[in-house]
Amino acid sequence: MGDPRGIGPEVIVKALADPARRARARFVIFGSKQPMAEAAGLASIDGFWSVRTPVSTAGPDDGVVLLDYGEGDGTSSQPEGELSFRFIDDAIAATGGAAVNARGDAPAGVTLDAIVTGPINKEAWAEAGHAEFPGHTELLADRFGAKRVRMMFVAPKLRVVLATTHIPLARVPAALSVERVRETIELGAEACESLGIAGPRIAVCGVNPHAGEGGLLGDEDTETIAPAVQAARTMGIDASGPWPGDTIWNAAVAGKYDLVVAMYHDQGLIPVKLLAFHDAVNVTVGLPVPRTSPDHGTAFDIAGKNIANPGSMAAAIDLAITLARSRGLTSRT
């Protein structure tokens, strides 16, 4: 569900209100029943889910099951932050992989093939005592023990993978290395293959204006990014660059490239959210199970007003099912 105060409950209700989407898989919602009921009431949607507790020994019913975590147990100064953290931590544990949650257990009777996460508030996580995880991506990597994890965004006309994620802009140059950029290209290529794109054409952004202007505007492009591109090419990947980060997007949207590798968060997210705010999906590549999420945040300013667009959540659910099936999973849940 993500943060119960945000638009997560609303977009989940609206996205799963479509019977055709519900028929594609079984769904378990890790959340709280009150915000779900309120969102459904405002949208005039009849409840389509059953409710049970996370510790119930009963297995999930067919259709949609809501695991109700209540309103918090009073142990945290930031109950919504603790709840949203526990939702995802328990969902990770329920994948049946090596991951376990902080308490070393998992909800009874639940086995997952894929995870779709609602938007969280990072400040609430920090205030609840989880500041070591700046977001979902970092928590997922930690719990699964995944050493090579990247954020990728899939939109109708654009796909973007990030070499760095939630770090201050001032730390980006130091975080980039030939190996990290090469790995990002490789993971992006593998993700494209899983989406059915054979031999993806990959454009790699520079980090400095004009891709460094031959070293006049910084040497990271020639000393780090260009060697990484060459290393990827020796692996048989159709990668090119570094390209200026302000112009490569036109060629990508026109269909010349299947994927763009961006060096930092806003370099990649600004074009994605400008072109496909209601359609883009965040995919974590490098995990043993598919994980997707909407590309938007909690939107506290419109929560509870029944005006949130569920498009990105619907797309995230659909893509999670597609990715699970592409890996040969059974779509049990």
Side-chain angles (χ1 to χ4, degrees):
M1 178 178 287
D3 196 301
R5 302 168 300 169
I7 62 172
E10 179 181 342
V11 295
I12 290 171
V13 167
K14 291 179 176 178
L16 289 180
D18 181 357
R21 180 166 291 111
R22 296 202 304 270
R24 297 188 64 199
R26 290 192 292 122
F27 298 88
V28 175
I29 302 170
F30 293 72
S32 300
K33 66 180 181 180
Q34 186 63 28
M36 285 282 290
E38 291 174 355
L42 288 171
S44 298
I45 294 173
D46 293 332
F48 48 78
W49 57 89
S50 60
V51 180
R52 69 179 182 88
T53 67
V55 296
S56 170
T57 56
D61 303 322
D62 289 337
V64 181
V65 176
L66 169 64
L67 300 183
D68 179 28
Y69 285 73
E71 307 303 314
D73 58 12
T75 62
S76 172
S77 61
Q78 175 39 273
E80 292 84 8
E82 183 59 36
L83 278 172
S84 64
F85 184 88
R86 186 177 176 191
F87 298 158
I88 180 61
D89 210 19
D90 283 6
I92 294 170
T95 59
V100 295
N101 61 21
R103 298 177 309 284
D105 59 13
V110 177
T111 304
L112 304 177
D113 286 332
I115 300 171
V116 182
T117 58
I120 63 165
N121 181 269
K122 297 175 177 61
E123 183 178 356
W125 272 24
E127 292 179 0
H130 304 293
E132 71 271 31
F133 301 113
H136 282 124
T137 304
E138 293 80 8
L139 176 62
L140 287 156
D142 176 83
R143 292 295 189 259
F144 283 112
K147 303 301 182 184
R148 305 193 313 163
V149 171
R150 300 290 189 275
M151 293 176 68
M152 180 172 171
F153 293 83
V154 177
K157 294 184 178 181
L158 188 64
R159 300 173 198 86
V160 180
V161 64
L162 306 182
T164 63
T165 53
H166 300 114
I167 63 173
L169 186 59
R171 288 170 45 195
V172 169
L176 296 174
S177 66
V178 174
E179 182 63 9
R180 182 169 188 85
V181 176
R182 185 203 62 76
E183 279 188 354
T184 306
I185 299 169
E186 180 185 1
L187 289 168
E190 292 173 356
C192 286
E193 295 277 356
S194 73
L195 294 172
I197 304 170
R201 301 158 299 168
I202 301 176
V204 182
C205 289
V207 68
N208 294 300
H210 305 174
E213 284 280 15
L216 294 175
L217 301 178
D219 57 13
E220 291 87 358
D221 301 279
T222 55
E223 295 187 2
T224 300
I225 301 174
V229 171
Q230 183 57 42
R233 291 185 64 83
T234 63
M235 298 172 63
I237 299 173
D238 184 3
S240 62
W243 298 104
D246 59 342
T247 58
I248 192 59
W249 308 103
N250 288 325
V253 171
K256 186 175 180 179
Y257 300 103
D258 300 301
L259 176 71
V260 178
V261 178
M263 292 302 111
Y264 54 92
H265 185 277
D266 285 12
Q267 185 184 57
L269 268 292
I270 289 173
V272 168
K273 293 189 176 183
L274 177 65
L275 294 172
F277 189 80
H278 296 303
D279 302 297
V281 178
N282 177 8
V283 182
T284 305
V285 296
L287 295 176
V289 298
R291 177 262 173 165
T292 66
S293 78
D295 71 339
H296 56 70
T298 52
F300 289 138
D301 58 324
I302 64 169
K305 298 181 179 179
N306 192 34
I307 59 175
N309 188 312
S312 187
M313 174 59 79
I317 292 169
D318 292 343
L319 184 57
I321 295 170
T322 297
L323 290 172
R325 290 176 175 169
S326 75
R327 297 189 185 196
L329 299 176
T330 63
S331 292
R332 298 180 303 265
T333 305

